[in-house]
Amino acid sequence: MNRKRELTIYVGLYEDHAIKVIESFQKETGIKVSYVSLSNGEIFNRIRAEREKPGSSVWFGGPSETFIHARKEGLLRSYFSKNAEFIDTQYKDRQGYWTGIYVGSIAFVSNKAWLQENGLAYPHSWEDLLKPQYKGMITMPDPRTSGTGYTILGTLVQLLGEDEAFLYLEKLHEQVNSYPTSGSVPGRYVGSGQAGAAIMFSHDAVKFYKEGFHDIFVSFPEEGTGYEIGAVAIIKGAPQLEEAKLFVDWVLKREIQELGKKVGNFQIPTNREALPPDEAYHLEDLNVIQFDHQWAGENRERLLKRWVKEVLKK
């Protein structure tokens, strides 16, 4: 008697996007998928806690720096998917521990009405966020729990140099009214007028604008910005290994990477044959720094400890 094929995954990207992909996978393969949706840092902590008995087989979505940290701790399993040939080298781990499924840039997201009320132009520099009018009106995700937040931290360290970045982050902290655990929540705060500006991913801002938050305005720092590589990986000790491999193969396909835009998600697919959303911000059109994802991932734990000590003063 054949066993019923099942798969459990941890989801670190938008739930509507994940559901669309999961539905198509179930329909094609007959494999029943269950999932848990968490922020990227929360997924990492859960996988670390479950390392002796993994509760999931796949980690689907979220910035690659956290995957790199997980690989460093021996929490991922190498897998070279047949479909990884369609993903350029800079968007995947050379040893097969994770593979990129989308990319997206860090942006400033402002409330246009708030800017007008305070006589401000849209922010176009990291220094702009230190202006007195922004005090208590900035939100950014907590880098301990949010992959977005850590990409922001990693961007500033690589742009300014580590010591200068932490001096800047201390000043920025005086301007910040909240550090949500999720990377997308700041966009809702800005869109609803609870905050004047946010630092977050540009594609999340586009999603909120499309959902009706029309006071949102997206701009980019002229000094340079960073970007994420959203990834997928198999967890070491995966209880459903063969099903996990099939799922990784699935999400690297051109037509599956194009599903995101059908449910209002605006990242750039990594599959070179996939068509990006018309509304997406392309990296080649921005002043993107030479972001070293490997370095950021390997130094994640150290930088987070320094952020807590020097910025939060804990």
Side-chain angles (χ1 to χ4, degrees), residues 152-207:
I152 295 166
L153 174 56
T155 293
L156 286 165
V157 167
Q158 294 187 42
L159 175 68
L160 303 176
E162 188 169 326
D163 289 341
E164 284 299 314
F166 276 93
L167 288 174
Y168 174 83
L169 286 162
E170 286 184 65
K171 295 175 184 176
L172 183 68
H173 179 67
E174 298 302 314
Q175 312 286 75
V176 171
N177 65 27
S178 64
Y179 293 104
T181 58
S182 166
S184 61
V185 168
R188 295 195 183 277
Y189 288 171
V190 170
S192 62
Q194 297 177 65
I199 313 171
M200 55 185 289
F201 285 128
S202 59
H203 48 263
D204 289 345
V206 175
K207 182 179 180 67

Side-chain angles (χ1 to χ4, degrees), residues 68-129:
I68 293 165
H69 186 180
R71 182 205 164 176
K72 182 181 178 182
E73 294 201 7
L75 300 175
L76 303 181
R77 186 189 194 280
S78 176
Y79 174 58
F80 290 95
S81 169
K82 60 184 180 181
N83 293 329
E85 65 180 279
F86 298 103
I87 314 298
D88 290 341
T89 302
Q90 68 266 33
Y91 299 138
K92 59 188 176 185
D93 179 69
R94 293 179 183 274
Q95 280 74 50
Y97 284 92
W98 58 268
T99 309
I101 50 177
Y102 57 80
V103 297
S105 51
I106 293 293
F108 299 150
V109 180
S110 309
N111 183 291
K112 289 187 285 188
W114 181 82
L115 289 176
Q116 291 169 1
E117 288 169 8
N118 287 274
L120 292 167
Y122 64 86
H124 63 275
S125 164
W126 290 102
E127 288 297 315
D128 283 344
L129 301 183

Side-chain angles (χ1 to χ4, degrees), residues 27-303:
K27 184 176 180 181
E28 178 68 22
T29 65
I31 297 170
K32 179 177 173 53
V33 179
S34 58
Y35 71 92
V36 178
S37 182
L38 298 164
S39 66
N40 220 31
E42 291 169 334
I43 293 174
F44 170 79
N45 290 334
R46 181 171 288 203
I47 293 173
R48 178 192 255 172
E50 296 174 344
R51 68 184 308 155
E52 299 302 322
K53 188 178 180 181
S56 179
S57 296
V58 173
W59 182 353
F60 180 41
S64 61
E65 295 85 51
T66 319
F67 288 72
I68 293 165
H69 186 180
R71 182 205 164 176
K72 182 181 178 182
E73 294 201 7
L75 300 175
L76 303 181
R77 186 189 194 280
S78 176
Y79 174 58
F80 290 95
S81 169
K82 60 184 180 181
N83 293 329
E85 65 180 279
F86 298 103
I87 314 298
D88 290 341
T89 302
Q90 68 266 33
Y91 299 138
K92 59 188 176 185
D93 179 69
R94 293 179 183 274
Q95 280 74 50
Y97 284 92
W98 58 268
T99 309
I101 50 177
Y102 57 80
V103 297
S105 51
I106 293 293
F108 299 150
V109 180
S110 309
N111 183 291
K112 289 187 285 188
W114 181 82
L115 289 176
Q116 291 169 1
E117 288 169 8
N118 287 274
L120 292 167
Y122 64 86
H124 63 275
S125 164
W126 290 102
E127 288 297 315
D128 283 344
L129 301 183
L130 302 182
K131 291 178 177 178
Q133 296 95 323
Y134 284 93
K135 188 173 181 63
M137 291 303 294
I138 293 176
T139 179
M140 65 168 276
D142 190 322
R144 294 171 295 180
T145 55
S146 164
T148 309
Y150 184 70
T151 302
I152 295 166
L153 174 56
T155 293
L156 286 165
V157 167
Q158 294 187 42
L159 175 68
L160 303 176
E162 188 169 326
D163 289 341
E164 284 299 314
F166 276 93
L167 288 174
Y168 174 83
L169 286 162
E170 286 184 65
K171 295 175 184 176
L172 183 68
H173 179 67
E174 298 302 314
Q175 312 286 75
V176 171
N177 65 27
S178 64
Y179 293 104
T181 58
S182 166
S184 61
V185 168
R188 295 195 183 277
Y189 288 171
V190 170
S192 62
Q194 297 177 65
I199 313 171
M200 55 185 289
F201 285 128
S202 59
H203 48 263
D204 289 345
V206 175
K207 182 179 180 67
F208 291 134
Y209 185 88
K210 292 283 190 177
E211 289 178 355
F213 291 102
H214 291 158
D215 264 346
I216 280 177
F217 186 87
V218 178
S219 59
F220 296 90
E222 59 189 13
E223 305 97 324
T225 194
Y227 68 99
E228 72 165 326
I229 304 171
V232 66
I234 295 177
I235 297 165
K236 187 175 182 180
Q240 304 132 334
L241 181 57
E242 293 309 310
E243 290 82 359
K245 291 178 178 179
L246 288 174
F247 186 81
V248 172
D249 293 343
W250 186 254
V251 300
L252 299 182
K253 295 171 67 174
R254 172 190 59 78
E255 60 270 29
I256 304 308
Q257 291 201 2
E258 291 178 353
L259 288 177
K261 61 186 178 182
K262 294 183 179 180
V263 289
N265 291 278
F266 302 97
Q267 302 99 325
I268 302 290
T270 54
N271 185 309
R272 68 179 71 93
E273 296 184 355
L275 296 175
D278 292 338
E279 303 89 343
Y281 290 95
H282 294 257
L283 299 185
E284 57 267 28
D285 296 331
L286 306 172
N287 182 19
V288 174
I289 66 171
Q290 294 293 317
F291 193 90
D292 189 336
H293 298 273
Q294 188 67 32
W295 183 91
E298 291 176 351
N299 286 273
R300 179 176 178 270
E301 190 165 25
R302 180 181 66 81
L303 291 177

